[in-house]
Amino acid sequence: MFLTSLDLFSNGADGRPFIDGRSEISLSPGFDHKISIHPLHTNKLPPPYNQCRQYGGTEMFKTKEHCERYCYNKRNDEECGCVDDLDYPSARLCQLSEEDARECVDGNAKSFDPAVHCDCPAECEYLRYETDRQWSLWPNSSSVPSFVANIGGHLRSSEAQQFVLGILEEQIGLDQLRENFGAVTVYFSDFTQTEIAESPVYDTITILSTCGGLLGLYAGFSLLTLLEVADFAFDLYEFLAIRRRRLLNGRN
């Protein structure tokens, strides 16, 4: 058996996916997988509306996944003394002969949780791809000739040629063929992109206007009333000040 499963990841053109098991699509051999993708662009409000970060630009990390990958490699470097990622050049790569280090890295990979071990808030703006998958058994008896014709010209080794010859001579059944081969077709579901943008329901001007309207509605309060209250307070202060001076002059 040559193939047990194939893991497919979708990500934007400006980076590569963070292989953590959360966004992968597992594809089994023996099926014709048809995967449609649809881009989803989200733009959240920055702090204080959301606890998010605008990656890229002057930021050290381009994406949230980049931040999590750096955090994961840093943890391996500190706890295991090596990493298994070429994108972290400040630490040395783990060697296959280092059994203890390999066990440590494998253990970290299983227990690693970005929400617990990293300070990588969600992105304020990001592009994701929604996926929908359909599949059917493959190959079938009618598709074997075209399958052999497609791969026959790309084979170089004699073992592979003998394998194809065995298919043509029906020495290899469909069950064995399906254990080693599969088909994958990835396409856009349509030529549109879903945009999700957040905007504040209340800004400063709207809040002041709403408060002023409520005060005017329930208490008869307005800007003119505020000026009248201020004028009355000034007149009262002036009256009390004059009266106090007269009392002091009368005692003297």
Side-chain angles (χ1 to χ4, degrees), residues 73-94:
N73 288 320
K74 182 179 179 182
R75 184 168 182 243
N76 284 338
D77 184 26
E78 294 175 351
E79 297 182 4
C80 308
C82 61
V83 299
D84 55 357
D85 193 340
L86 293 174
D87 285 348
Y88 195 79
S90 60
R92 67 180 185 86
L93 289 175
C94 298

Side-chain angles (χ1 to χ4, degrees), residues 100-211:
D100 293 340
R102 292 305 314 172
E103 290 181 2
C104 177
V105 171
D106 293 341
N108 282 344
K110 295 178 181 179
S111 62
F112 179 72
D113 185 357
V116 176
H117 301 109
C118 303
D119 181 20
C120 300
E123 297 163 299
C124 293
E125 182 179 3
Y126 56 88
L127 178 65
R128 296 288 185 270
Y129 292 92
E130 296 179 329
T131 60
D132 183 35
R133 180 176 58 170
Q134 297 178 348
W135 62 90
S136 59
L137 282 176
W138 186 92
N140 51 42
S141 56
S142 60
S143 62
V144 168
S146 61
F147 166 69
V148 173
N150 287 332
I151 69 171
H154 301 282
L155 299 178
R156 296 291 182 267
S157 65
S158 59
E159 292 83 359
Q161 294 176 356
Q162 289 295 328
F163 185 84
V164 174
L165 184 62
I167 297 176
L168 294 175
E169 295 177 354
E170 297 184 355
Q171 296 176 1
I172 299 177
L174 283 178
D175 291 338
Q176 185 175 354
L177 195 62
R178 288 168 180 166
E179 290 178 354
N180 299 283
F181 294 94
V184 181
T185 304
V186 182
Y187 60 93
F188 284 100
S189 58
D190 50 45
F191 294 100
T192 63
Q193 176 175 286
T194 301
E195 296 280 346
I196 300 177
E198 294 182 348
S199 60
V201 177
Y202 286 96
D203 53 17
T204 304
I205 296 177
T206 305
I207 292 176
L208 293 176
S209 301
T210 302
C211 292

